[in-house]
Amino acid sequence: MNETPPRSGPLRPLLMGIGAGLAAVLVAVGGIFAFGKLFGGPDYGAAPGQLTASDVSGLGDGARIAPLGTLGEASTAFARFLTPSRSVIYALDERGAPRWAAPVPHADAPAEPTALFPDEDAPEQGLPELHGTPVSCAADGAALVCGDVRIDRETGEITPGEGDADETGAEGAGTDGSRPDEEAADPATAAVPLELEEDGTLLGPAGQPYPGVSLDQEGPVRMVGPVEDVQESEDAGRTGTGPWAVSDGTVLAVVSPEEVLWQRGLDAASAAVTGLGSLTAQPGWALEDDVLVLGAADAVRGLDAATGEVLWTLEVPGLTSFTVSGGQLRTVADGVFTVFGFDASTGEEQARAQPPEPGQEGGGAVLGPGREAFENATFELPPTCAAFGLHYSTEYLGEEDDGTFTGQGEFRDGTAQGSGADSYGSVVIDEVRPTRLGESPATAVSFSCFGGGAYAYPSVGIYDAGLTLLDSVEVWGDPAEGQRQDLQASAMEPAMADLGAMGPVLTFNLRGLDLYGDDSCHACGKSGSADLAYRWDGERMVHADTVFHTPSGDVRMPSQESVQAFVDAVGAGDDEAASAHATQRVMDSLEEVLGDGTAADPPTVRSVHFEGNTVGACEPVSSNATPAGMGESAFSLDEYRFHSGETLSGQPTAWEEEVRAGDVVCGVSMPDGPADEYHLYLLMRGQADGGFEVYEAGRMFG
């Protein structure tokens, strides 16, 4: 066994930076790349030359670049960044500079996030968390299909509900299809013709054990290296000449088909930055032309696969993650996304990443102001946040207006304090994301708005370079007061996290959403969360997408138009169209007579529940419909109140099917009925793509 040490010494501990985010700035860094191999093509034996560097701090803290998977010829034109609750898909030009970005929510997010690198020291190291499972992506003509969204490849425009959901992950098509606590699928590992025994013994292509190699079965074992598919017989499968690299996150071994070339311990820093030893991340390493590309603390290195000798070192201060794709090395470090080309190799053993430089040809546009500009300044707040956090007594309790309400907050060290009778209230700056809206610098800022009691609510403000409020997003506003309310769910006190500002796209995650089966008290745990996305239309942020994460799976609210179309189809007798959105039991009940049937033309379920009726509010069923002890499947209250203020009043008909967390209820109005009160409702199973299946058409008796 050859264990030649690297001439530059062992791999150093990793300093995990937390900056990474999305992008508006790109810049070509010239003068450092040269000529590649003698006959052209990537040269993995020397440090790659830098092509572009982009400020991507708008994505948020803890973002990592991750393999996107096999997309055929499209794979080099896109990159995936993982943030705690979503992937962000970048479209790249031929040099690797960003063209647009599109957010894709993770699937099946749990109530609480899980560590991306789940070891005992992760919280102390500040390592990122992963909330949910990254979905698979596949190329489909002029679009990328990622889970349940379709992304236009030219513009980045997202169309929810037109994707091809794949809960298990398409083979070779995405990051993984596992739950957060399961091992992520890794196409590279699956392709390598090596096997691992239950005792940790590594077997070669011919079934022979490699002496001295013992791998930890409790962690994910990853493999990478050249393979070829053999299809002459059913028994033939993967083969190749090697070499192959194998690691469990603590041991790194490189083997040929016959022997161990070398092995050594892998330090935690290198494992973390490479993505080895993680249950939920694929490694970004590569083994190309007998060169192993591996991460280290503040650096990426190329190692001779035959000897382990360090061939080159590329210093990237603050490095958090990297990938190798299509002859490019892509890194993320301290909020900067840098692309290097192996076909633009310097030919040197040592190189260093250069930061973006505003003003250079190819980019250099300035982003909006950062946190330091807001923490000790006076500026206008989102209106509902200002009223609730700084002027609660006058705006909500009806006390005499003292004339101090200006909508502004005077911040000191990131906190604006109320005054006078409202001195107990405050507004706190949470996350700050510099970005650009078109050609103009802008910044998204999230706030926690405390009225002084037991409640606090989040808001987002969009500001220009002069700290002028351009627009606000306050999902908990009161529609009766003319305030926007884009969240179709009940939430006593939602918590906002993972704010992202990606050019014209704004995203965030809300936790603490109230679902059926949750205890209804304010301090009780809530089982729902949601990812929301907005797009700048030139004047304001327009709501683009919401996906709810529930214990029963992901749900997008069916559009009011689609549910109304179902109601109209039933009312018109078009049962063929209606049956696509209802259970057979519901369809069989439509001609049931209501009442004693003595009338000449007795009412039926169809005539009462559907003919001429109008669909109103829809939302995930909240805890105020939860029976005491969960022993019955019916509303437990005389009144069900929707998040938007409408009510279902009266005693419900018995529900014949158990309601589960994540089910959707829609209020239905009869002709000339009150606008804010329903006596009819539809219960349905929502789907991740916005589809639905009605399983109960019920009514509330007075």
Side-chain angles (χ1 to χ4, degrees), residues 62-91:
R64 294 175 58 91
I65 191 169
L68 182 58
T70 303
L71 296 176
E73 294 181 358
S75 60
T76 59
F78 299 94
R80 179 201 296 266
F81 292 81
L82 290 180
T83 77
S85 62
R86 68 187 64 85
S87 295
V88 177
I89 308 300
Y90 257 153

Side-chain angles (χ1 to χ4, degrees), residues 1-7 261-264 303-304 306-310:
M1 180 175 64
N2 189 344
E3 293 192 65
T4 303
R7 64 186 176 206
L261 300 178
W262 55 273
Q263 72 167 314
R264 62 174 63 101
L303 281 68
D304 187 318
T307 65
E309 176 186 15
V310 175

Side-chain angles (χ1 to χ4, degrees), residues 394-455:
T394 57
E395 298 299 314
Y396 288 88
L397 300 182
E399 295 185 12
E400 184 177 352
D401 188 354
D402 60 5
T404 61
F405 181 48
T406 64
Q408 292 194 327
E410 185 178 343
F411 285 86
R412 295 293 178 266
D413 297 326
T415 299
Q417 202 73 38
S419 60
D422 294 299
S423 59
Y424 45 77
S426 63
V427 176
V428 176
I429 295 173
D430 291 329
E431 298 177 286
V432 179
R433 302 289 178 242
T435 185
R436 287 178 61 82
L437 298 177
E439 297 301 316
S440 302
T443 303
V445 183
S446 65
F447 303 94
S448 290
C449 315
F450 299 88
Y455 293 85

Side-chain angles (χ1 to χ4, degrees), residues 17 54 105 123-124 187 304 334 345 396 406 433 522-523 565 648 677 684 700:
S54 308
E124 298 177 3
D304 187 318
D334 290 338
S345 173
Y396 288 88
T406 64
R433 302 289 178 242
H522 169 261
L648 274 169
E677 185 176 319
M684 60 191 72
M700 307 287 281

Side-chain angles (χ1 to χ4, degrees), residues 32 261 357-358 399 404 525 556 612 669:
I32 66 169
L261 300 178
E357 297 183 16
E399 295 185 12
T404 61
R556 280 183 172 85
S669 296

